[in-house]
Structure formats: structure tokens, C-alpha cells
């Protein structure tokens, strides 16, 4: 790293790091060293010292002084050389009182209500914001403060921020013969304007749901079967989406301010009372509904002490075809769901509650009637008296809670602040004897929705109407530029087109839509079981009888109930999905070297480019950082190792095989010896224990927690690199849950990483259909030798030191057998794999893709 990579700007009195594109924080040598030691500088020893001395010789402004002397946003300044510039937007609604700027177009849309305007009012002739170029001294969270700049070429041409310029160049017009008259020019000008209006009219028509159509080719069989187009005819997609959208969560501590890592405009947005009391009530209701669903899951979970689910009861819940002579093995209620799946399923049930409130319960309704003869969902839905009474009871319970809180705030212990918090409601079990009236009312509401006979008019049920709303899906960009569309491109016309496209929707695919129905069915089964356990809590022997009566009457394929229709739809859609041709097809080039799928084109050279990039980073991180650059640590190679594939001893693996003792001798404390023998490492990792009574630092030595945390961050980064190498290099790729289930040592089950015939193999038995079929399938993958060497060296040398660090923080603790887990044993979330894969593509400068794309 050269000294010339740092530029001092005397006008602004800042030092710009050319490599990072940001200014160094004015915190003095301590902050500078922290910056210079990290990527991409990685400075050490004399180079670090010399650089810090050079930076200390400059006269720099402090953070508050820079904020005070920040250039006026209405008067763009010259661009600071080497400082990263961004495309952004500045509000022009009030040039005197508002200078709001942001890089994200959606943030500018959210800002418009402060001026009592809507983003849809923005036009080229009457703009509400303008594109501009932005810079900020610092990019760290809480320090972003943008100012406007003008590029040198623009300055030379006299272009200013307040000058209105044409966004598109006019094409030259070549006339033959006499020039057109003014009336003729006006005619053609109007025709050109009508072309643009026609494009918008087409988009407006696309945002309204149409009927199935009269032609045979226009009629989707599954839509005709369900009747969704007729029920949704004439409704706008934006209103359909907002009819069941969950209200945004509010952070009590932050007061609903900017999101972390927001636009950094320097403005602190207030709530502005945009969310009325009804929305606040709905948030409290949804919190209670979440508590009810979570406690219901505890009744069926294998890991719960309150479990009341048995195999017989599971069969009763899933006996959808009882009495019709079905053949084959019965599949009981599947009581295990991944955490992410559980959240998705519970959100569907909460969206149902929101939909009922906005569309059915509120007097003003939700949808806009375009014509007098238009049938609205509210006109078709016929809620039962029990459903209406249950919703009334929900709001009555809210008012009772409010009155109770007011009474307790008025007097009592601790100034009366003794009411139940949201977390206490969630932690409280529904059968604990302390159940609130709100949870009881929500239970009655859900049961009333499930136990609803609809006869020949299925859309009488709010549940069936809600299912119709779920059949519309938002159009996704196939170019992979969704993130850029959210931020904006700087071109007003392109940004406006992207904003209008976000409002468009289409019919979902039968297979994907079936998953939404499965979520509703599974959650309804869960609630029926919870209700049976609650109402028969005094005599649990009567739970099976009540459960059987409820399921046979309301959860049967031949019953004309809300879920009877849904179960019939699921059978039909499963058949349609199996015979349907996927709309998204992968297309190979004629030479077989490039694949195009969902708008992403990947050449075969990109695959090797990605693997080489990640391998180099992983090797450098392992040997330079995790192994402290030690030269006496020999890499562990598979061809030199032995492994007993049938060993089942607890904690056993190739690391404990006696035949490897000579080769692995000293690896268990190799890094600990490095810290002990090298003074620079002792200075980093060893600290004196402070005596709190005398304030003295004399006494026994301890390992520094901050240093251990930095080392662990390097270990986690190495695992992120390895997950890309494991997922991409051997084919075919595993799914994220299968990949994250890999273990390196025996615990409750046999390990996944084995050594066979001088090669490292990954043996996974979990797969997607295991929960449905109960059968295990062998998934075997071989690691390339260079990748295997990195993994084996990490397990043999680095893991023992991580174990030592863990036991310093948690005495007696053991490392998790899962390879991809944190130090405290938490296995990574499924979406982490796609995130790591996308970041790896960015580092290797290849087209970005994620797990699902690569598997396809």
C-alpha cells in the first residue's frame, strides 16, 4: 500500500483514502490504525507507523466541525478528488426550507408527504425532485452527511443544479418541401404526446385485474376452476396487495425513525402521526396473534415440554379423505417446520386477520369502486355472526387492556408502571392460566373462520376471498436490477417507469400458489389442535374426540366448507403443476458455453473465475490470519490420512483416529504455542486482569475478549468463503438446509465429513422430501483436493483454538459439531448461503446469482 493512496484536501481539511473512496475518520491515530490494519490496506509494523505519522502532520477538521462546514446542498461544490461520488436526488418542493437529499428513490417517495404531496405527482414538467451527484466525507453508520457536487465537465458547460435540462436529446428533423404550418406542428406534437399517454394507459390497464376471457386460449384452466378472475375483476393490484399487507413494525426505542444505514441525509424523520390509532391497535392484535400461534406450536413441537401431539392425533388432523375409500399409507400432521417456514406460515395467518379487518370489518371497506355495477369482495363476503362477534371482542379486549393500564399508571408499585409488556405476552403460554382476554378472542375469531360452511358460494367465506388475493404476485425484474431500481438510476423517465412497474402484478404459477394454500391448511390444523387442547384442558382424554369431530366436519375434502374447497383446490393444483411447463427456461448458447436464466447470463469461464477468486481469498485468510502466518504448520492433506467410516463414538472423526496420531501430533495446541512464543501475539491476545477494588492492573493474565472476537470474525469469514467453494465446485449443488446440516464430528448422528480413498467426501442424508416421505436419501459430494486441504487444516489446527476461546467465555462449553455455525453453536440461517454466494460473485466480478438460480 503506497503513501500516495492518501490525498490531503486543503480546502475541506480532510484526508481521502483513494482505495476506499472515503475520508479517514478524524479520531486520531487509534482510529486510523484500525482502518489501516483492515482490508484492503492490511498495513503492519513500520509501514503502519510511518503512515500514521504522515497523517498526524496534517491539519484536519473534527467530525462536528465538518458537519458545521458542510457545503450548502443548494450550491453544489467542486467534486473532491478520489472521494466516491453517488447518483442521488434532491427535493425541490421547498428550496428555502428543505434540502433533503438521498441516494434511494423510495426514500424520496416517502419524503413527499412532508410537503403534503404524493410521489405520483412528480412529472417532467413539474418535478418534485431532481437528480444530482452526491458525496459524503464518511460512510460509517451515523456519520453519513451528503452534500451536492458538480462534475468538472458539467461545470465547464455551465450546468447548475437548479437549471432545468432536457433528459433526452431531440432527434434532428429533415423536412422535404414546404415547412409544416403551426397548426400542423401542433397536431404532430399532440400525436407524439399521445404515444406516451398510450403507454401509460396500457400500464394502467395492466394494473387492473381482468376476467378470464371469452376465448378458449385466454382461459387458464386452474383460474376457471377456482373462480378467482371473476371475484377479483376490476380490482387494482396495488389495492389487492395493501388489503392484507401487515402494518410496519415500530421500534419503540427509535420511535420509528430512519432505518439503520439509511440515506444519511441529516434529517430525522418524525412519525408525523401518519399511522392512526386503528393501525396501532392492529399491531397489538398481531402481536397477540403471534403469541397464540407460537404457543400453539409448542403443543406439537418435538422439542417442547408441553407437547400434546401424538401419532393418532396427527393422523386425525391430516385425514382429509376419511370415509371415501382412499388407498395408500396415511401421512400424519407434520409437526416440525424450519424457523423461516414457521415465520412465513404465521405471517399468512396474520395477513388473513388484517384482510378481514380492512375489507370486511371496517365500515368504509378497502377497495375503490370504479363503477356502480362493479361487484366488490365486500358485496360477496358474508361473515357469520360468530366471526363478527369475535372481532368485536378483540377490540373490546384492547379497550379493557387500555383501561387497566391507565389505572395502573395512576397508582401502585413503581409509580404504577406495572402493566404487561409485549414480550411478557409472547412468553406467556396460552394454557398457563394467565391468558389474556385478547388471545381468547383471537382464538375464537380464527376458529370461526375455519368452521364456516359456505355451500355453493365459496367466496362467502373471508378465507376463500383472501385466497383469491394471494393468487396475484408482483412482477419481478428478470435483469437482477431490483436493488438498483429501489435506489434509482438518476434518469427521471427510467425511474418513473420502474416505479410504475412495481405496481404491476400477474397470476401466480399453480405450483407456487399451492404453497400458500398449504400454509393456510397447516396453520388451520395447528389452531384446531390448540383449540381442542384448550377447551378440553380439564379432561385431556376428550381431546381426540373433539378433534375428530372438528376435522371431519370442517377439514374434509367433501365438505362444503371454506377449507373443504381449499383442500379440493390443492389436489387439483398439484395435478396441474406436475403437468405444467415451467415459464422460466434456461437457455444455452449454441456453443454450450453460456447459459441465460431469469435474465442472468453466465459464461463457463465465470465459474472457474469465481472458484479461483474465492480459493485465493480463503487460502490467504487461513494461512496469514487464522494461522498467524506461521511457517512451521504443515498443511493437512487427505491422501495422508485414515478414517474409520463406521466409527460411531461420540465426538469421533478422522481427528481421533489413532492411525493419524503421528501426522496430527501437536496440531491441537499449535496456535496456542504461537501466541505463547511470539511477543507480538501475546501483546494482542493477553491482558492484565484489573482489580476493581484498588484499580490496579497487576495480577493474573487473561485472554483479551476483543482480540478473540476479531479472530472469530476471521474464522466466520473463512467459513463464508468455504461455503461458496463447497457449493459451486462439486456438482450437483445441495440445497441450503442440506448444506448447513454438514457436521465434522459424531454427536447424536454420524458425521458428514469423511475421508475415503484419499479423498474428502461430504455425506448428507437430509433432503427436501424427507418430512413428507419419511425416507432418507444419500447425498454424496467429493471436494477438490485444494479445497479439501483448506478444510482439513482448518478443522485440525484452527478449531482447537476456537474451542479454547469459547471456554474462556463460557467455561465448560464445547464447539458445535455443525461446520457452519457461530462460536456459541447457532447454525447459520438458510438465506445466509445465498447472501455469501452473491457477495462472492461481486468480489470475483462475475454475474451475481444465488442458490436457487445455481441449482436450476
Amino acid at each position: 500500500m503506497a503513501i500516495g493512496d492518501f490525498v490531503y484536501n486543503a480546502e475541506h481539511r480532510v484526508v481521502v483514502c483513494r482505495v476506499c473512496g472515503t475520508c479517514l475518520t478524524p479520531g486520531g491515530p487509534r482510529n486510523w490504525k484500525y482502518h489501516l490494519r483492515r482490508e484492503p490496506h492490511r498495513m503492519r509494523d513500520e509501514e503502519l507507523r510511518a503512515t500514521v505519522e504522515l497523517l498526524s502532520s496534517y491539519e484536519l477538521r473534527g467530525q462536528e466541525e465538518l458537519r458545521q462546514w458542510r457545503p450548502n446542498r443548494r450550491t453544489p461544490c467542486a467534486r473532491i478528488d478520489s472521494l466516491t461520488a453517488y447518483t442521488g436526488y434532491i427535493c425541490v418542493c421547498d428550496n428555502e426550507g428543505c434540502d433533503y437529499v438521498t441516494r434511494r428513490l423510495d426514500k424520496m417517495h416517502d419524503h413527499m408527504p412532508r410537503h403534503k404531496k404524493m410521489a405520483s405527482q412528480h412529472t417532467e414538467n413539474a418535478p418534485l425532485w431532481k437528480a444530482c451527484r452526491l458525496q459524503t466525507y464518511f460512510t460509517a453508520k451515523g456519520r453519513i452527511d451528503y452534500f451536492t457536487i458538480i462534475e468538472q465537465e458539467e461545470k465547464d458547460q455551465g450546468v447548475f443544479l437548479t437549471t432545468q435540462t432536457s433528459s433526452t436529446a431531440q432527434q434532428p428533423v429533415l423536412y422535404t418541401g414546404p415547412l409544416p404550418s403551426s397548426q400542423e406542428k401542433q397536431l404532430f406534437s399532440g400525436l407524439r404526446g399521445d404515444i406516451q399517454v398510450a403507454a401509460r394507459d396500457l400500464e394502467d390497464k395492466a394494473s387492473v385485474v381482468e376476467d378470464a376471457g371469452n376465448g378458449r386460449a385466454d382461459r387458464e384452466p386452474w383460474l376457471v376452476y377456482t373462480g378467482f378472475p371473476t371475484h377479483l375483476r376490476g380490482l387494482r393490484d396495488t389495492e389487492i396487495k395493501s388489503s392484507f399487507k401487515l402494518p410496519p413494525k415500530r421500534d419503540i426505542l427509535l420511535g420509528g425513525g430512519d432505518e439503520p444505514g439509511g440515506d444519511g441525509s441529516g434529517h430525522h424523520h418524525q412519525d408525523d402521526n401518519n399511522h392512526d390509532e386503528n393501525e396501532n391497535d392492529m399491531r397489538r392484535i398481531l402481536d397477540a396473534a403471534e403469541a397464540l400461534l407460537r404457543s400453539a406450536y409448542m403443543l406439537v413441537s418435538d422439542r417442547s415440554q408441553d407437547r400434546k401431539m401424538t401419532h393418532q392425533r396427527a393422523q386425525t388432523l391430516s385425514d382429509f379423505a376419511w370415509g371415501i375409500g382412499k388407498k395408500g399409507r396415511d401421512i400424519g400432521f407434520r409437526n416440525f417446520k424450519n424457523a423461516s417456514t414457521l415465520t412465513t406460515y404465521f405471517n399468512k395467518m396474520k395477513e388473513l386477520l388484517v384482510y378481514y379487518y380492512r375489507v370486511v370489518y371496517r365500515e368504509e371497506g378497502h377497495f375503490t369502486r370504479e363503477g356502480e355495477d362493479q361487484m366488490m369482495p365486500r358485496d360477496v363476503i358474508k361473515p357469520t355472526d360468530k366471526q363478527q362477534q369475535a372481532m368485536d371482542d378483540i377490540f373490546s379486549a384492547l379497550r379493557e387492556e387500555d383501561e387497566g393500564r391507565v389505572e395502573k399508571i395512576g397508582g401502585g408499585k413503581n409509580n404504577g408502571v406495572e402493566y404487561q409488556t409485549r414480550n411478557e405476552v409472547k412468553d406467556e403460554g396460552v394454557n398457563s392460566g394467565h391468558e389474556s382476554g385478547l388471545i381468547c378472542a383471537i382464538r375464537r375469531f380464527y376458529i370461526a373462520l375455519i368452521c364456516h360452511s359456505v355451500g355453493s358460494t365459496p367466496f362467502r367465506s373471508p378465507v376463500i376471498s383472501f385466497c383469491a388475493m394471494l393468487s396475484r404476485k408482483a412482477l419481478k425484474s428478470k435483469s437482477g436490477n431490483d436493488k438498483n431500481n429501489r435506489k434509482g438510476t438518476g434518469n427521471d423517465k427510467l425511474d418513473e417507469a420502474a416505479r410504475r412497474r412495481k405496481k404491476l402484478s400477474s397470476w401466480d404459477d399453480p405450483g407456487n400458489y399451492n404453497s400458500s394454500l398449504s400454509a393456510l391448511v397447516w396453520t388451520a390444523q395447528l389452531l384446531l389442535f390448540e383449540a381442542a387442547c384448550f377447551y378440553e384442558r380439564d379432561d385431556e382424554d376428550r381431546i381426540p374426540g373433539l378433534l375428530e369431530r372438528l376435522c371431519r366436519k370442517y377439514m374434509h375434502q367433501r365438505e362444503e366448507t371454506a377449507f373443504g374447497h381449499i383442500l379440493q383446490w390443492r389436489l387439483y393444483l398439484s395435478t396441474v403443476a406436475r403437468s405444467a411447463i415451467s415459464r422460466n427456461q434456461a437457455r444455452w448458447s449454441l456453443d454450450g458455453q453460456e447459459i441465460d436464466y431469469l435474465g442472468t447470463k453466465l459464461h463457463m469461464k465465470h465459474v472457474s473465475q469465481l472458484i479461483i477468486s474465492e480459493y485465493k481469498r480463503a487460502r490467504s485468510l487461513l494461512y496469514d490470519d487464522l494461522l498467524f502466518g506461521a511457517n512451521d504448520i504443515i498443511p493437512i492433506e487427505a491422501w495422508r490420512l485414515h478414517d474409520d467410516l463406521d466409527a460411531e463414538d461420540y465426538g469421533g472423526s478422522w481427528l481421533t483416529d489413532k492411525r493419524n496420531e503421528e501426522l496430527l501430533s501437536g496440531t491441537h495446541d499449535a496456535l496456542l504455542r504461537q501466541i505463547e512464543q511470539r511477543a507480538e501475539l501475546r501483546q494482542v491476545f493477553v491482558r492484565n486482569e484489573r482489580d476493581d477494588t484498588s484499580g490496579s492492573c497487576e495480577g493474573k493474565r487473561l485472554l483479551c475478549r476483543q482480540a478473540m472476537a476479531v479472530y472469530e470474525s476471521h474464522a466466520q469469514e473463512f467459513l463464508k468463503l468455504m461455503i461458496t467453494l463447497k457449493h459451486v465446485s462439486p456438482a450437483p449443488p445441495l440445497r441450503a438446509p442440506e448444506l448447513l446440516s454438514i457436521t465434522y464430528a459424531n454427536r447424536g448422528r454420524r458425521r458428514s465429513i469423511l475421508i475415503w480413498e484419499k479423498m474428502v467426501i461430504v455425506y448428507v442424508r437430509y433432503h427436501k422430501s424427507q418430512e413428507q416421505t419419511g425416507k432418507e436419501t444419500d447425498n454424496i459430494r467429493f471436494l477438490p483436493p485444494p479445497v479439501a486441504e483448506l478444510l482439513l487444516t482448518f478443522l485440525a489446527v484452527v478449531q482447537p483454538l476456537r474451542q479454547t476461546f469459547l471456554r474462556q467465555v463460557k467455561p465448560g462449553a464445547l464447539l458445535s459439531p455443525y461446520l457452519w455455525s457461530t462460536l456459541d453453536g447457532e447454525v447459520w440461517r438458510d438465506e445466509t448461503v445465498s447472501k455469501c454466494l452473491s457477495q462472492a460473485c461481486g468480489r470475483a466480478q462475475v454475474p451475481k446469482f444465488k442458490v436457487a438460480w445455481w441449482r436450476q
Side-chain angles (χ1 to χ4, degrees):
M1 188 65 62
I3 295 296
D5 290 329
F6 302 96
V7 180
Y8 176 66
N9 187 290
E11 179 182 356
H12 295 264
R13 288 164 55 186
V14 295
V15 173
V16 182
C17 176
R18 290 180 181 271
V19 180
C20 301
T22 183
C23 296
L24 294 182
T25 55
R30 182 177 180 181
N31 288 348
W32 298 338
K33 289 180 181 179
Y34 177 76
H35 176 86
L36 297 175
R37 286 194 180 105
R38 301 177 64 190
E39 290 284 357
H41 304 286
R42 298 181 60 82
M43 288 189 180
R44 298 292 188 272
D45 303 329
E46 185 61 27
E47 182 184 15
L48 176 62
R49 185 191 62 79
T51 304
V52 171
E53 289 182 357
L54 174 64
L55 297 177
S56 301
S57 64
Y58 296 128
E59 183 181 357
L60 303 177
R61 282 176 174 161
Q63 182 178 346
E64 293 300 325
E65 189 178 2
L66 286 173
R67 187 179 296 273
Q68 178 182 358
W69 288 91
R70 171 182 53 77
N72 190 334
R73 291 172 179 158
R74 292 295 175 188
T75 308
C77 66
R79 174 174 179 170
I80 299 178
D81 186 34
S82 302
L83 188 64
T84 303
Y86 307 95
T87 298
Y89 307 88
I90 183 170
C91 175
V92 296
C93 296
D94 183 6
N95 291 336
E96 298 295 332
C98 179
D99 62 350
Y100 178 80
V101 294
T102 178
R103 291 171 54 193
R104 294 173 52 182
L105 186 60
D106 55 346
K107 283 285 187 181
M108 184 61 72
H109 291 172
D110 296 339
H111 173 73
M112 288 298 103
R114 295 173 61 88
H115 300 288
K116 303 187 184 310
K117 297 181 183 295
M118 300 297 293
S120 57
Q121 297 176 256
H122 174 79
T123 62
E124 184 177 357
N125 296 329
L128 301 181
W129 62 82
K130 287 186 177 180
C132 61
R133 296 288 287 172
L134 302 174
Q135 282 186 320
T136 176
Y137 296 120
F138 313 110
T139 57
K141 180 180 177 182
R143 296 183 176 180
I144 299 177
D145 191 13
Y146 291 119
F147 53 88
T148 57
I149 62 169
I150 188 168
E151 302 290 355
Q152 186 62 35
E153 57 271 16
E154 294 178 352
K155 188 173 182 179
D156 295 340
Q157 297 172 8
V159 180
F160 295 93
L161 188 64
T162 56
T163 301
Q164 183 173 355
T165 59
S166 175
S167 58
T168 57
Q170 296 292 334
Q171 296 293 331
V173 180
L174 302 178
Y175 295 105
T176 60
L179 297 177
S181 64
S182 59
Q183 292 84 357
E184 291 173 334
K185 289 182 179 180
Q186 184 177 2
L187 169 64
F188 287 105
S189 176
L191 293 177
R192 282 192 293 270
D194 186 64
I195 293 176
Q196 299 180 357
V197 174
R200 293 202 176 193
D201 290 343
L202 180 63
E203 293 178 350
D204 291 340
K205 187 175 182 180
S207 65
V208 178
V209 181
E210 295 183 340
D211 205 344
N214 297 324
R216 295 179 181 179
D218 297 332
R219 295 166 65 86
E220 285 275 358
W222 79 274
L223 293 175
V224 175
Y225 184 86
T226 56
F228 291 164
T230 302
H231 186 65
L232 302 181
R233 182 173 49 202
L235 301 182
R236 293 194 172 273
D237 286 316
T238 52
E239 292 187 336
I240 290 176
K241 181 179 179 181
S242 62
S243 66
F244 58 86
K245 183 179 179 180
L246 298 179
K249 294 182 178 180
R250 289 293 172 184
D251 193 320
I252 299 176
L253 298 177
L254 296 178
D258 288 345
E259 298 175 357
D263 52 52
S265 62
H267 290 274
H268 299 283
H269 302 288
Q270 302 295 327
D271 193 18
D272 288 340
N273 297 322
N274 288 335
H275 296 82
D276 55 15
E277 187 64 26
N278 291 334
E279 288 296 307
N280 294 330
D281 287 345
M282 184 52 59
R283 291 189 188 95
R284 293 169 57 191
I285 294 172
L286 295 178
D287 287 338
E290 177 81 13
L292 173 64
L293 293 168
R294 293 288 175 183
S295 59
Y297 184 66
M298 290 297 100
L299 298 176
V300 303
S301 175
D302 296 331
R303 300 181 179 181
S304 173
Q305 297 292 335
D306 300 325
R307 172 180 167 87
K308 295 184 179 180
M309 177 62 72
T310 64
H311 179 71
Q312 293 80 0
R313 296 173 183 180
Q315 294 287 352
T316 301
L317 274 175
S318 295
D319 197 1
F320 302 137
W322 174 84
I324 60 176
K326 67 181 186 306
K327 298 180 181 179
R329 181 174 58 86
D330 291 337
I331 298 177
F333 174 78
R334 294 191 292 273
N335 49 30
F336 172 77
K337 295 293 179 183
N338 290 323
S340 57
T341 304
L342 208 60
T343 300
T344 302
Y345 279 22
F346 288 170
N347 282 343
K348 280 287 184 291
M349 217 59 177
K350 292 192 291 184
E351 289 172 352
L352 172 60
L353 193 155
V354 172
Y355 178 78
Y356 183 93
Y357 167 72
R358 292 175 180 166
V359 177
V360 182
Y361 187 73
R362 287 199 310 187
E363 294 183 0
E364 62 271 20
H366 178 78
F367 295 101
T368 303
R369 195 183 298 271
E370 302 292 343
E372 295 182 358
D373 58 343
Q374 182 181 358
M375 289 290 293
M376 308 297 290
R378 185 184 178 89
D379 302 331
V380 181
I381 299 173
K382 303 298 180 185
T384 64
D385 294 338
K386 291 183 178 180
Q387 294 170 2
Q388 291 288 76
Q389 183 61 46
M391 184 59 74
D392 290 337
D393 293 343
I394 288 175
F395 283 94
S396 297
L398 281 180
R399 302 289 79 82
E400 291 177 2
E401 285 188 1
D402 292 340
E403 294 174 0
R405 291 180 178 181
V406 171
E407 292 176 0
K408 290 184 178 182
I409 290 176
K413 298 179 179 179
N414 299 326
N415 294 327
V417 184
E418 204 177 275
Y419 55 84
Q420 196 175 36
T421 65
R422 177 182 301 177
N423 290 333
E424 290 170 347
V425 172
K426 288 185 177 181
D427 294 338
E428 215 172 65
V430 295
N431 297 322
S432 62
H434 300 284
E435 185 177 277
S436 67
L438 179 58
I439 291 182
C440 289
I442 294 174
R443 178 190 295 110
R444 292 195 298 272
F445 171 75
Y446 277 131
I447 297 302
L449 290 179
I450 297 171
C451 302
H452 188 183
S453 298
V454 296
S456 61
T457 313
F459 291 103
R460 290 170 50 193
S461 167
V463 180
I464 299 297
S465 179
F466 174 66
C467 291
M469 304 297 161
L470 295 178
S471 64
R472 301 289 292 179
K473 68 171 183 178
L475 288 177
K476 294 184 178 180
S477 173
K478 292 189 177 183
S479 61
N481 293 326
D482 289 335
K483 185 175 181 181
N484 294 335
N485 291 338
R486 290 194 297 269
K487 291 183 176 180
T489 61
N491 187 306
D492 286 348
K493 288 189 174 181
L494 294 179
D495 293 341
E496 179 64 18
R499 188 181 67 84
R500 293 197 302 268
R501 178 180 172 81
K502 289 174 60 177
K503 297 181 179 180
L504 303 181
S505 299
S506 64
W507 297 110
D508 204 350
D509 294 328
N512 294 336
Y513 175 70
N514 212 5
S515 62
S516 297
L517 298 184
S518 298
L520 290 175
V521 170
W522 187 89
T523 317
Q525 292 173 290
L526 181 68
L527 287 170
L528 282 179
F529 182 75
E530 191 276 338
C533 294
F534 176 79
Y535 291 119
E536 299 295 351
R537 59 188 179 277
D538 296 332
D539 187 0
E540 293 190 5
D541 293 338
R542 294 188 297 184
I543 292 177
L546 176 59
L547 190 64
E548 184 174 350
R549 291 194 299 272
L550 291 174
C551 292
R552 290 186 180 181
K553 187 173 182 179
Y554 298 106
M555 298 291 291
H556 195 279
Q557 297 169 1
R558 289 194 171 183
E559 294 294 333
E560 294 180 343
T561 62
F563 280 88
H565 284 278
I566 293 176
L567 292 172
Q568 286 286 353
W569 291 346
R570 280 210 315 169
L571 291 176
Y572 175 78
L573 293 177
S574 298
T575 304
V576 172
R578 284 194 293 267
S579 59
I581 299 176
S582 175
R583 298 180 182 180
N584 302 318
Q585 298 288 336
R587 291 174 291 275
W588 286 88
S589 60
L590 293 179
D591 59 0
Q593 293 299 306
E594 187 177 64
I595 185 172
D596 184 355
Y597 181 62
L598 293 178
T600 299
K601 293 184 178 181
L602 187 72
H603 197 276
M604 290 299 98
K605 66 180 181 181
H606 292 149
V607 179
S608 57
Q609 182 178 338
L610 173 62
I611 295 175
I612 293 174
S613 171
E614 292 301 280
Y615 175 77
K616 289 181 178 179
R617 290 179 61 88
R619 185 176 181 84
S620 174
L621 185 60
L622 175 64
Y623 287 99
D624 296 343
D625 294 330
L626 295 179
L627 301 186
F628 305 128
N631 297 323
D632 56 345
I633 297 179
I634 302 176
I636 309 299
E637 298 172 307
W639 65 271
R640 306 172 63 185
L641 297 173
H642 302 275
D643 193 7
D644 184 0
L645 305 185
D646 298 322
E648 296 183 353
D649 54 312
Y650 193 86
S653 68
W654 57 271
L655 292 166
T656 60
D657 195 304
K658 293 184 177 180
R659 294 172 291 180
N660 299 325
E661 284 185 353
E662 182 178 354
L663 179 63
L664 300 179
S665 177
T667 57
H668 66 284
D669 62 347
L671 296 181
L672 202 59
R673 291 198 308 272
Q674 291 288 329
I675 298 176
E676 180 183 8
Q677 296 171 4
R678 293 164 59 176
E680 70 275 13
L681 292 180
R682 291 199 307 272
Q683 185 178 5
V684 173
F685 283 96
V686 180
R687 292 290 186 273
N688 296 327
E689 183 182 23
R690 174 176 291 275
D691 189 346
D692 295 334
T693 58
S694 62
S696 173
C697 293
E698 297 297 331
K700 67 177 183 179
R701 303 295 190 266
L702 297 176
L703 289 180
C704 176
R705 291 202 175 204
Q706 290 77 10
M708 291 189 291
V710 172
Y711 186 87
E712 177 59 22
S713 67
H714 290 162
Q716 292 294 317
E717 183 64 26
F718 174 79
L719 292 174
K720 290 179 181 179
L721 299 173
M722 289 299 298
I723 208 168
T724 301
L725 294 174
K726 169 65 189 70
H727 189 69
V728 177
S729 53
L734 298 172
R735 294 173 61 248
E738 299 164 359
L739 188 61
L740 297 179
S741 67
I742 293 176
T743 57
Y744 62 90
N746 295 335
R747 290 293 172 90
R749 59 186 178 91
R750 191 173 296 181
R751 65 193 183 279
S752 306
I753 298 178
L754 306 167
I755 298 177
W756 178 72
E757 292 294 331
K758 301 180 180 180
M759 294 179 292
V760 174
I761 63 175
V762 177
Y763 176 45
V764 179
R765 306 207 69 182
Y766 172 80
H767 61 99
K768 182 178 180 179
S769 60
Q770 180 175 337
E771 296 177 18
Q772 300 178 1
T773 62
K775 296 180 180 179
E776 293 183 339
T777 301
D778 294 336
N779 281 327
I780 300 177
R781 305 290 186 271
F782 291 85
L783 291 184
V787 178
E789 175 196 318
L790 298 183
L791 179 60
L792 296 179
T793 305
F794 175 83
L795 293 176
V797 184
V798 177
Q799 287 292 77
L801 184 61
R802 295 181 69 210
Q803 175 78 80
T804 301
F805 288 167
L806 174 62
R807 295 173 73 87
Q808 290 296 307
V809 180
K810 295 182 179 179
L814 296 174
L815 281 178
S816 170
Y818 291 94
L819 178 60
W820 282 287
S821 61
T822 60
L823 191 63
D824 57 1
E826 182 181 357
V827 181
W828 291 4
R829 298 175 64 89
D830 294 348
E831 55 268 21
T832 307
V833 181
S834 287
K835 184 178 180 180
C836 293
L837 197 57
S838 179
Q839 292 174 347
C841 293
R843 288 191 294 264
Q845 298 182 351
V846 302
K848 289 187 177 182
F849 56 85
K850 297 183 179 180
V851 172
W853 191 96
W854 179 249
R855 284 177 52 82
Q856 294 298 329

